[in-house]
Every structure is written in structure tokens, then in C-alpha cells.
Amino acid sequence: MSKERILVVEDQPDISNLLKIYFTSRGYEVFTAMRGSHALEICSKTPPNLALLDVNLPDMEGYEIGRVLRANPRTRHIPIIFLTARGERRDRLIGLGEVQAQYYIVKPFDIEEVHTIVKNQLDEARRKNQLHPVTNLPTAELINEQLRNLLTTQGWAMAQIHINGFETFTQSYGSVVGEDVLKFTALLLNEGVSEVGIGNSDEFVGQMVVGPDFVVTSTPERIKLICEHLLNRFDEEIGLHYNFRHRKQGFLEITDENGTMRQVPLMSLAIGVLTSQDGPFYDIRELSETAAETRQRATHQAREQGRKSWIAYGRGHA
């Protein structure tokens, strides 16, 4: 299981260092930012599992960071805890009401109490099955919620992504190395979305609970760029997860249930892309099944073309 990521946004170095040292010692991965712009950049590239926000920052109020997180499908589920010297009733109402933070703690604070609150919020997120245990990407109901939103709008695009050969790879190399591949793919997706969709609040990246399957939603113009970024980087770098011999020969040798030795290619991606023009879709089951059919077509087309990874588009793709 991956370490849970905490973002600390605090412009006082002594408090920031205290929180980083304390939560790192408790087994969390801690990111720090002294300015709101840096905090938003971190959230765009590597969304945290929880955010600890000060209100008074050099470039913006912590409330604005919270509003941006709540407006973005990739980050709206993140628990927010304010740690601030501003304890007036109006400030609390903004933090808990407008921003919908989970807690509003006024300085000076008891760090053990803060840790208990943080732990409880992360436990609650896991109980709701909101985050994938390996990649920390949104999963389960958060994906369904995003897909339901697509059904009522226009101008969207959705990509369903599958890692071909992942099961064989984990059988040969083990589940721990397989988790590294999932984290690697999630990192490429977040990088692609951040670089292509900077400043856009419509992008969403999620991972299915079971299997090496990911979901991205964006606009038709950006989804193509995001998927091409992912496909090219994946094909270029996936070999680094294999040993030298497998990487050089370009395949694994496995023995099937009949005792026959087979050659299995290195992992690749199959990506199926749909847009609102492929609809209408009447429920998320129909949408997901159509995306899966498109993704399966990508696998067949890759084999026909003698390629590794491939992107297949729905009928509405221009």
C-alpha cells in the first residue's frame, strides 16, 4: 500500500517544518508549500490525500486554495483541514461553509489532536472506498459520480485505459513490482493531465478498484493529447520495469496450463476514447460498456498493425 500524501500549506517555516517532521515520522509522505500558487501546482501534478491549509499566505488566502480544490473533479474529494490564527466566527463560516472543509482548527494547536483528526479523515476516506490503495487515485463511487455528471452535459471526452500483459507481468515479477507499474502509470496520467489541461477544472483521473484499468475525462481536444502523452511515455519507459534479458528480447517466456512455452510481449496500453458525440448514453453502465468495447478494439487494431499500444476512438470522433 502506498504512503498517504499530506499537503501542508504554511508560510511560517517553523510550523511547516514541525508538521513535516511530525507527519513524516508517522509514516506519511508530506509535501509543503509556502505560497498558494505552489500548493495548487502540487495538487495539479500529484493530488494529495489530505490538505492542511493556513489562511494567511503571501499570494492568496487559503480559502481560495480550498475553493479551487472543491471545483476540480480530481481534487474535490480531498479532506481539507484549516490550521490558522484567524478564529473569528466569520472566518470559521467561510472555511466550514463556503469551502466545505472538514475541520477548522485555530492556532496554537495540539499536534497530537491534529494527527488524530488527520488519521480519522483518511480512515473515513478508505471506508468509503474513495481512493485506490496503491495509486491513491479516486475510485469506485467517485468514478461513478464523474461518469453520471458526463451523462447530463455536452462537450466531454472519456478515455478508458487498460494495461495489456499486466497479469502475466505480476505472475513473473511479483505483486510489489506490479504495484510499481500501477504507480508509474498513474504518475504519467497526472503529468499528462497537468501539462495538457493546466488551468482547466474539467479533467478527472481515476482507477478502477480491480484490475489495471484507469479512467480519464476531459474535453475532446485535450483527451487526444493526454492519451498520446501517456501512450508515448509508457512505451518508451515500461521496459525499465523488466530485467535486462526480458527488456532486450522484448518478451517474457511463460509456461501455460498445457505445459507449452509461450512468448508474451512486454506490457502495452489499450485506450478507448468516447466523446459526447458518441451518445446519447442513458446510464453509466451503457457508457462504461461502450468504452470497454472501444478499448478492446484498440487491442485488436494494435495487433493488426504490429504495434504495442494503441488508441481507438468512438464513432463520434472527428
Side-chain angles (χ1 to χ4, degrees):
M1 181 178 292
S2 295
K3 288 184 177 181
E4 290 173 302
R5 296 188 292 265
I6 296 176
L7 172 63
V8 174
V9 185
E10 169 62 63
D11 67 335
Q12 297 297 318
D14 54 342
I15 298 177
S16 177
N17 290 335
L18 169 67
L19 291 168
K20 181 171 184 176
I21 292 171
Y22 180 86
F23 281 102
T24 299
S25 71
R26 295 301 188 274
Y28 300 96
E29 184 177 6
V30 181
F31 298 87
T32 60
M34 300 184 70
R35 301 178 68 87
S37 57
H38 184 205
L40 293 176
E41 181 181 350
I42 291 173
C43 291
S44 175
K45 294 181 177 179
T46 312
N49 297 100
L50 182 142
L52 292 170
L53 304 181
D54 190 10
V55 174
N56 295 321
L57 298 169
D59 56 341
M60 67 178 70
E61 289 188 326
Y63 301 136
E64 183 58 29
I65 299 172
R67 292 187 185 101
V68 172
L69 296 182
R70 289 291 181 252
N72 192 321
R74 296 176 65 209
T75 56
R76 66 168 54 128
H77 63 280
I78 294 174
I80 295 174
I81 299 172
F82 281 107
L83 294 177
T84 177
R86 288 169 57 167
E88 298 295 326
R89 179 174 179 272
R90 176 180 177 276
D91 295 311
R92 292 176 179 273
L93 290 176
I94 293 174
L96 297 173
E98 292 183 21
V99 180
Q100 298 179 11
Q102 275 66 31
Y103 278 86
Y104 195 100
I105 301 173
V106 179
K107 298 174 182 176
F109 53 81
D110 183 323
I111 198 166
E112 293 288 348
E113 179 184 353
V114 174
H115 177 227
T116 298
I117 293 172
V118 166
K119 183 177 181 300
N120 288 343
Q121 287 300 309
L122 292 172
D123 288 345
E124 180 67 17
R126 284 194 297 274
R127 280 195 296 271
K128 291 179 178 178
N129 202 24
Q130 289 185 316
L131 301 176
H132 193 278
V134 174
T135 62
N136 289 319
L137 288 176
T139 190
E141 185 54 33
L142 290 175
I143 292 178
N144 290 340
E145 177 184 337
Q146 180 67 10
L147 297 186
R148 279 192 288 268
N149 291 337
L150 298 185
L151 298 177
T152 61
T153 60
Q154 291 294 320
W156 55 262
M158 165 194 172
Q160 191 180 96
I161 301 154
H162 178 77
I163 305 177
N164 291 326
F166 179 80
E167 291 78 7
T168 301
F169 175 82
T170 55
Q171 290 170 9
S172 299
Y173 281 81
S175 59
V176 173
V177 185
E179 290 181 356
D180 289 338
V181 172
L182 295 178
K183 295 174 186 176
F184 163 72
T185 307
L187 176 63
L188 294 185
L189 276 169
N190 277 319
E191 284 183 353
V193 167
S194 178
E195 293 175 11
V196 172
I198 191 71
N200 177 61
S201 63
D202 296 328
E203 262 81 24
F204 172 87
V205 180
Q207 183 178 354
M208 305 305 291
V209 177
V210 179
D213 296 281
F214 299 81
V215 174
V216 179
T217 66
S218 184
T219 64
E221 297 77 16
R222 284 189 286 266
I223 199 75
K224 184 175 186 291
L225 298 175
I226 292 170
C227 290
E228 288 177 348
H229 169 93
L230 171 65
L231 185 148
N232 292 332
R233 288 284 305 279
F234 189 94
D235 283 353
E236 288 174 3
E237 301 178 31
I238 193 59
L240 298 176
H241 294 271
Y242 292 83
N243 62 36
F244 177 77
R245 180 169 66 87
H246 291 154
R247 184 164 63 247
K248 184 177 181 180
Q249 66 191 18
F251 58 83
L252 297 175
E253 308 95 340
I254 65 167
T255 302
D256 62 21
E257 61 274 10
N258 299 320
T260 303
M261 182 70 72
R262 293 194 301 112
Q263 295 180 357
V264 178
L266 303 189
M267 288 178 285
S268 62
L269 296 179
I271 305 176
V273 175
L274 296 177
T275 73
S276 53
Q277 298 301 310
D278 292 304
F281 300 99
Y282 297 101
D283 55 45
I284 61 174
R285 178 178 178 179
E286 180 185 10
L287 175 59
S288 299
E289 289 178 349
T290 306
E293 292 170 0
T294 307
R295 173 181 57 77
Q296 290 164 5
R297 180 156 49 84
T299 299
H300 298 318
Q301 291 174 346
R303 291 171 181 168
E304 291 173 356
Q305 298 289 332
R307 299 283 298 275
K308 292 187 290 184
S309 299
W310 197 263
I311 306 172
Y313 293 91
R315 297 181 302 275
H317 180 72

